[in-house]
Amino acid sequence: MSDPALTVELYDTTLRDGAQQADLSYTVEDRLRILHKLDQIGFAYVEGGWPGANLRDTEFFQLATKETLERSQLTAFGMTRRAGERAEDSPVLRDLLDAGTEVVCLVGKAWDLHVTEALRTTLDEGVAMVRDSIAFLRGQGRRVFFDAEHFFDGYRSDPTFAMAVLAAAEEAGAERLVLCDTNGGMLPFDISSIVTAVQQHAAVALGIHVHNDAGCAVANSLVAVDAGVLQVQGTVNGYGERTGNADIVPIAADLVLKMGAHDALPEGAVERLTELAHYVAEIANLSAEPRQPYAGRYAFTHKAGLHTSGVARVSRAYEHVPPEAVGNRRGVVASDYSGSASVRMKAEEFGLELTDDAVPAAVEHLKQREASGYTFDIAEASLELLLRRADGWSQPYFEIDSYRVHVEERTGEDPLAEATVKVRTKGSRHIESAEGQGPVGALDNALRKALTNDYPQLDTMQLEDFRVRVLDESVGTGAVVRVLIDMSDGEQEWTTVGVSENIIEASWEALTDGYLYGLLHPRSPEG
Ligand SMILES: [Zn+2]
């Protein structure tokens, strides 16, 4: 046996603290998808939100607690009772209980300044708020993690009070004392010395939750582990308010690949960190950060010249870890399927048996598509159709003759879109027109009308969401637009992608592939 393994548990708060980012908003469906992805990767805990804080969070917990998770434990976040209130009367704690998770993460004030100035109460009451709230939740059978808000600033300002808060949380039954750098201003040396000092007094395991305001969030999380904390909280891609939270992607890679924390994620999960980073960016409708450590598309891209030939000969001399270790690639877009192995793997996942000729054809199509702006990280329905087509498949359901859409500007009213679609199905020709709020809605309505006679199952299918992104990769040739469309038939959900210089064309491609995929994968008969 070599050095003893370091034990770390990862706690993801992408869905709660990460969702505080200004330009970010998730639908409930987005959140469920992220939850399942985090579960597949294998994070020990996934914080789903703050039940009661808004309707979306409450609705999320109603749905998420019914989902089956393989590896992650879903947690709910909330605040201690208010000053002068009884814990059993606290509506906030009530909402937390109603969310129905076994684990709750409760945040409380650990900085004297916040207690006296923001809460305008005494320090004793500040401590009691923490103690009572945790004791109440424990009494209701919940496991409790305690987030000590502004702990590091609090410890500097009044260590006696900050430690009294932790002691109260521990006595009341908290399983983790999570030290938060809520302002994000601490440096690694501060974190290291304060965690070490706290460690001497705490009997239960510590956690760390930091923000990136001083540019040190990942480093601060790692030094905290080095100083003895068990739990690390972070968000995928470092999403979060202001400059963001600690990015759990490099943290996980560093922990497993460099610090010997082999159990921080299940076997094989680190190799999926690039996929995770891109998946969440895509759902968030944000561009993946190309310079993100480990997962960025440039993370292993070397500048041309001597260096590149050196890399080809001795990659170890130029790369801190092999790109494959985190599922990334050297010098190319991370998620592309330029290898036949990944195409075969995907085909198997879809239950397709590709012929030998189909594999190189699919690789070629994928390369071309990705170079022109397609992404298949989420749009797996489009990927499946592409693989089938590469194998000579042509769809038997409908043939498009033409379509057009017309937007009418009306004075004093919202513009109205009207679409006409000419389609052939099973030998008969359908010409249908329909109106809609926007061009995509109008096209959707017209296409449905045209197809629904022959395919009544379209009634169950719905366009759930569509996202448009202008890609900057083609500056000079006119902007290219990428449209992602989510569809559902109430049983399954799927996503398709379309790319064009013309937004209508891109939408149309994603839309027709969306219905095609739905027809190809009918819902199981109702029993
Ligand atoms: Zn935070």
Side-chain angles (χ1 to χ4, degrees):
M1 300 293 274
S2 54
D3 51 335
L6 180 65
T7 302
V8 178
E9 68 186 21
L10 291 174
Y11 183 109
D12 180 277
T13 179
T14 304
L15 296 174
R16 201 272 305 170
D17 222 6
Q20 300 298 314
Q21 180 159 319
D23 53 354
L24 216 162
S25 105
Y26 300 118
T27 63
V28 171
E29 289 72 26
D30 290 341
R31 289 183 182 214
L32 289 170
R33 296 164 94 179
I34 293 174
L35 169 66
H36 282 293
K37 182 60 85 176
L38 293 166
D39 177 50
Q40 280 169 21
I41 304 286
F43 289 90
Y45 298 96
V46 175
E47 190 169 79
W50 184 338
N54 60 60
L55 277 176
R56 266 191 191 176
D57 284 39
T58 306
E59 191 193 344
F60 171 79
F61 279 101
Q62 282 163 2
L63 296 170
T65 46
K66 295 191 188 82
E67 301 281 314
T68 308
L69 299 180
E70 301 284 328
R71 290 163 156 159
S72 301
Q73 177 113 34
L74 179 68
T75 73
F77 177 88
M79 210 172 48
T80 59
R81 70 162 174 84
R82 274 188 285 195
E85 186 181 50
R86 288 172 0 133
E88 47 271 51
D89 297 335
S90 158
V92 174
L93 295 177
R94 177 52 53 195
D95 284 332
L96 253 181
L97 289 174
D98 288 346
T101 60
E102 183 190 330
V103 179
V104 300
C105 186
L106 198 72
V107 65
K109 307 243 180 262
W111 186 356
D112 59 334
L113 180 75
H114 276 254
V115 177
T116 52
E117 292 306 310
L119 301 180
R120 297 189 172 277
T121 187
T122 64
L123 295 183
D124 284 346
E125 174 65 357
V127 172
M129 286 159 66
V130 170
R131 180 187 294 113
D132 296 354
S133 304
I134 294 174
F136 172 68
L137 292 170
R138 294 289 298 132
Q140 301 290 316
R142 297 304 196 272
R143 294 174 55 197
V144 181
F145 297 166
F146 177 63
D147 262 12
E149 193 187 51
H150 294 288
F151 181 80
F152 294 91
D153 291 298
Y155 188 87
R156 277 185 171 169
S157 160
D158 183 348
T160 311
F161 172 69
M163 290 307 293
V165 170
L166 290 189
E170 185 175 321
E171 278 163 31
E175 275 179 52
R176 304 280 183 274
L177 305 176
V178 183
L179 312 181
C180 302
D181 179 18
T182 314
N183 287 344
M186 292 289 146
L187 300 180
F189 333 102
D190 308 322
I191 300 283
S192 190
S193 65
I194 295 177
V195 170
T196 304
V198 171
Q199 183 82 338
Q200 282 157 18
H201 299 281
V204 301
L206 300 182
I208 185 82
H209 172 118
V210 297
H211 286 253
N212 198 34
D213 299 71
C216 294
V218 170
N220 285 350
S221 305
L222 298 179
V223 297
V225 169
D226 190 51
V229 310
L230 172 69
Q231 182 176 98
V232 179
Q233 300 195 349
T235 64
V236 176
N237 301 334
Y239 292 155
E241 220 177 342
R242 306 187 309 275
T243 57
N245 284 55
D247 187 346
I248 210 161
V249 172
I251 287 175
D254 287 334
L255 284 171
V256 176
L257 300 176
K258 304 195 169 188
M259 291 175 72
H262 303 295
D263 295 338
L265 285 177
E267 185 140 5
V270 171
E271 290 91 324
R272 299 183 65 187
L273 286 172
T274 301
E275 170 198 336
L276 171 72
H278 290 229
Y279 184 88
V280 174
E282 204 54 72
I283 294 210
N285 205 16
L286 297 173
S287 304
E289 167 53 50
R291 286 171 190 80
Q292 183 182 25
Y294 292 102
R297 63 189 289 194
Y298 300 147
F300 299 95
T301 299
H302 303 272
K303 205 172 164 185
L306 258 185
H307 195 155
T308 318
S309 51
V311 172
R313 278 201 311 277
V314 215
S315 57
R316 195 161 56 86
Y318 299 92
E319 287 171 346
H320 69 124
V321 298
E324 313 82 67
V326 288
N328 209 335
R329 309 170 58 83
R330 185 171 299 127
V332 283
V333 183
S335 62
D336 74 3
Y337 292 93
S338 49
S340 50
S342 40
V343 163
R344 283 211 178 81
M345 195 184 77
K346 249 13 230 191
E348 203 169 297
E349 228 180 278
F350 299 145
L352 302 176
E353 279 189 32
L354 295 184
T355 59
D356 282 348
D357 292 347
V359 174
V363 169
E364 200 42 47
H365 287 176
L366 277 164
K367 272 191 194 163
Q368 286 168 5
R369 291 281 160 124
E370 294 201 318
S372 53
Y374 286 78
T375 172
F376 297 97
D377 292 333
I378 290 190
E380 295 211 327
S382 289
L383 180 59
E384 181 183 323
L385 296 174
L386 185 147
L387 295 185
R388 286 175 182 269
R389 285 164 179 149
D391 209 4
W393 177 75
S394 67
Q395 60 107 341
Y397 302 100
F398 56 86
E399 218 176 307
I400 308 290
D401 281 345
S402 69
Y403 67 91
R404 73 186 150 80
V405 63
H406 167 88
V407 180
E408 199 179 295
E409 300 294 341
R410 299 176 298 176
T411 21
E413 281 180 83
D414 287 337
L416 184 74
E418 191 191 311
T420 303
V421 169
K422 299 181 185 174
V423 180
R424 267 176 293 170
T425 56
K426 302 177 178 173
S428 51
R429 190 151 187 261
H430 307 272
I431 303 175
E432 297 289 354
S433 298
E435 294 178 341
Q437 288 294 348
V440 178
L443 283 169
D444 182 41
N445 291 337
L447 182 60
R448 275 171 167 284
K449 268 170 91 178
L451 295 178
T452 205
N453 268 332
D454 286 306
Y455 303 107
Q457 60 267 49
L458 252 68
D459 276 356
T460 62
M461 298 183 208
Q462 262 204 48
L463 196 164
E464 296 278 341
D465 197 9
F466 81 95
R467 283 162 282 179
V468 178
R469 171 108 44 90
V470 177
L471 304 176
D472 54 12
E473 278 124 65
S474 59
V475 184
T477 62
V480 165
V481 174
R482 176 163 73 212
V483 174
L484 287 166
I485 283 187
D486 298 334
M487 291 183 95
S488 157
D489 62 6
E491 195 177 273
Q492 43 175 352
E493 268 191 29
W494 61 95
T495 303
T496 54
V497 58
V499 172
S500 169
E501 286 182 24
N502 177 332
I503 184 172
I504 301 294
E505 236 173 78
S507 308
W508 179 252
E509 181 188 6
L511 195 63
T512 49
D513 273 359
Y515 283 111
L516 177 55
Y517 183 91
L519 291 170
L520 191 59
H521 296 275
R523 232 163 66 148
S524 45
E526 257 145 273

